Amino acid sequence: MEPIIKPVQTSADFPPQTTVVVIGGGIIGLTTALNLAERGIPVVVLEKGRLAGEQSSRNLGWIRKLSRSQRDLPLSQLSERLWSEMHERTGMDVGYRQAGMMFIGREEAELEPYRKWLESIQDFAPGSRMITSKEVDEMVPGSAQTWAGGLYNPTDGYAEPMLASTALATAAQKAGAILVENCAVRTLSLSAGKVSGVVTEHGEILCEGVVLASGRWSRRFLGNLGVDLPTLPLIGTGIRTAPVDGPSDIAVGASNFSFRKRVDGGYTIMQRGMLTAPLTFDHARVGMKFLPVLKANKSAMRIALNKHWVDEMRLQRRWKADSVSPFEYQRITSPPAEQDLVDEAMANLAAAWPVFKGVEVKASWGGLIDVTPDSDPVISPVDTVPGLIVSTGYSGHGFGVAPGAGQLTADLVMNEAPVIDPDPYRLSRF
């Protein structure tokens, strides 16, 4: 059963012009639109399917600094602060809880990467520290296994993707943004080599700037413009349980499971040690750029040649403004949950914390993640297409950094002083 956010009444109007068009109504597109609308900038969000219909509603909801690269930590720290203010900002509960997060290991060897990370970031993540086996037992009691220790940050936490997406969309509308669902953008309109509008399936909207925040669809959209964005897909399987008196509100990640408390009393769970890597034609095109990360994480990926290959091959890579685009053929990507991963995650978790044994699985789902070669997003102007800003490739942590990413993206599109240094996220790094 795929997660579905509480419906938002979107606009039936189709404005002929605006200042900024945001392509994509996921968490990044919505936070960008909210930031623009709060500044008094006319903005229209165009979503080919439904708001937050893909990975934005299917992620774990983690908001963390743990294991972030040093170059990525400023965005994580900014987003943490903005998440803490989101209830007041939107007037709605987004499920944000600063409950802490820990990554734990059974053997000392599992802890060594965490120690190296802690040494590498020095003062960039205040509060992050290694914890002992005894501390794991005290903070997350009831485990049937002995843990060597872990990495912990008390100020990390999580929010509810379905609550947050609805709140952000509602707040953006109240601030003046126009949200339109079931409206695919086919391509851009250019005048004198600069963006002057977008061509949608329902007609053209004139504008001064465009933000492309389309997740896994961004590569295909840019490819039609002759711009290469190296991303590949991964599929994660999420699980939602019935309410259970679990061991802690702290979010926990081990080598082969993860769990965090939900506001409904249940838990969101994942087989943390395994993602599905569906083969696509793009592996032949950009796969070499991913060799280092693939080698480093090969034990956590299951290579699959499945329906995703067929679906990808059916979608055209070149099309004209007056022809049907791939985004109209496939409104929402909804991969099925991998049942073996559901079973593994629940068995692994129950073996570690017996309180989860026999707990009812209320729902499970698949979510497609767009991953870059260095696992950091692209938040960047496109040099060959003046007026176009790309905000995509969040590699599975887009939800957690969405508030900061939306602010940075809005800064770039309006050519204002960026809230943090955007250099780590430039498209040209690839």
Side-chain angles (χ1 to χ4, degrees):
M1 179 188 300
E2 62 188 77
I4 299 176
I5 71 169
K6 183 179 179 180
V8 176
Q9 185 61 51
T10 55
S11 177
D13 296 330
F14 190 78
Q17 65 182 53
T18 188
T19 301
V20 179
V21 168
V22 176
I23 305 174
I27 193 78
I28 300 299
L30 293 174
T31 54
T32 300
L34 177 59
N35 273 277
L36 290 168
E38 287 176 336
R39 302 179 197 190
I41 307 300
V43 56
V44 176
V45 178
L46 301 175
E47 166 55 47
K48 62 179 173 50
R50 66 170 183 266
L51 297 179
E54 299 191 16
Q55 184 61 12
S56 293
S57 59
R58 300 161 189 256
N59 61 85
L60 299 180
W62 284 9
I63 300 166
R64 65 179 172 90
K65 298 177 294 296
L66 287 187
S67 291
R68 291 277 188 255
S69 64
Q70 181 174 316
R71 65 182 179 273
D72 198 37
L73 274 170
L75 183 60
S76 299
Q77 291 171 318
L78 169 64
S79 296
E80 177 187 278
R81 176 176 63 80
L82 294 174
W83 273 118
S84 71
E85 302 167 357
M86 199 61 72
H87 184 177
E88 181 178 356
R89 184 178 182 184
T90 64
M92 299 175 69
D93 181 20
V94 298
Y96 176 68
R97 305 290 186 270
Q98 198 174 50
M101 184 174 295
M102 67 171 64
F103 296 160
I104 55 179
R106 296 177 178 85
E107 308 292 339
E108 282 294 326
E110 293 182 60
L111 303 182
E112 191 58 29
Y114 300 140
R115 292 193 179 96
K116 289 182 177 179
W117 173 81
L118 201 55
E119 291 172 0
S120 72
I121 57 98
Q122 298 294 325
D123 298 327
F124 284 86
S128 296
R129 62 184 179 90
M130 298 301 297
I131 55 176
T132 65
S133 175
K134 180 181 179 182
E135 287 176 299
V136 174
D137 289 340
E138 289 173 347
M139 288 190 278
V140 193
S143 179
Q145 297 182 2
T146 299
W147 302 97
L151 177 66
Y152 173 66
N153 190 298
T155 60
D156 283 353
Y158 42 84
E160 294 295 345
M162 288 180 283
L163 294 179
S165 297
T166 298
L168 287 163
T170 303
Q173 285 184 317
K174 288 181 178 179
I178 297 174
L179 313 183
V180 183
E181 293 180 305
N182 295 305
C183 181
V185 176
R186 292 175 173 175
T187 191
L188 304 179
S189 297
L190 303 176
S191 298
K194 298 181 180 180
V195 168
S196 60
V198 297
V199 180
T200 81
E201 61 182 299
H202 302 307
E204 185 177 21
I205 299 179
L206 300 178
C207 64
E208 299 172 18
V210 171
V211 174
L212 179 64
S214 298
R216 58 81 44 124
W217 296 100
S218 298
R219 172 172 168 77
R220 196 168 294 260
F221 187 93
L222 289 173
N224 193 47
L225 299 173
V227 178
D228 182 43
L229 171 71
T231 58
L232 289 175
L234 289 175
I235 298 175
T237 292
I239 304 163
R240 174 173 63 87
T241 75
V244 57
D245 187 14
S248 178
D249 288 346
I250 297 172
V252 177
S255 63
N256 57 6
F257 65 82
S258 67
F259 64 88
R260 64 96 174 163
K261 192 70 173 287
R262 299 171 56 92
V263 295
D264 61 11
Y267 277 78
T268 295
I269 296 167
M270 183 182 182
Q271 211 290 37
R272 182 169 178 249
M274 195 61 62
L275 294 166
T276 302
L279 290 176
T280 69
F281 186 64
D282 282 338
H283 282 78
R285 291 172 174 258
V286 298
M288 292 298 292
K289 296 179 183 290
F290 287 81
L291 280 181
V293 69
L294 289 173
K295 289 179 179 179
N297 297 280
K298 61 182 179 180
S299 62
M301 298 182 192
R302 293 183 180 177
I303 307 298
L305 182 60
N306 54 23
K307 185 176 180 292
H308 192 79
W309 169 279
V310 178
D311 291 341
E312 285 284 303
M313 291 298 290
R314 285 176 176 172
L315 297 175
Q316 67 268 45
R317 292 181 178 273
R318 292 289 187 272
W319 61 92
K320 296 181 179 179
D322 60 355
S323 62
V324 177
S325 68
F327 321 116
E328 294 153 75
Y329 286 116
Q330 190 171 335
R331 299 284 179 177
I332 297 174
T333 301
S334 185
E338 298 281 351
Q339 188 58 47
D340 57 338
L341 294 184
V342 173
D343 295 340
E344 285 179 23
M346 297 306 297
N348 295 340
L349 178 54
W353 271 275
V355 69
F356 289 102
K357 187 174 183 179
V359 67
E360 180 186 2
V361 173
K362 300 290 288 186
S364 59
W365 59 85
L368 196 148
I369 304 164
D370 55 321
V371 181
T372 64
D374 59 9
S375 297
D376 286 336
V378 174
I379 312 173
S380 171
V382 178
D383 293 338
T384 57
V385 189
L388 174 62
I389 303 294
V390 175
S391 189
T392 195
Y394 284 84
S395 304
H397 52 266
F399 180 84
V401 300
Q407 185 168 337
L408 176 59
T409 303
D411 291 342
L412 294 178
V413 75
M414 298 310 300
N415 198 28
E416 297 178 356
V419 63
I420 60 169
D421 182 8
D423 189 67
Y425 308 114
R426 68 192 188 283
L427 176 60
S428 61
R429 74 184 190 270
F430 299 124

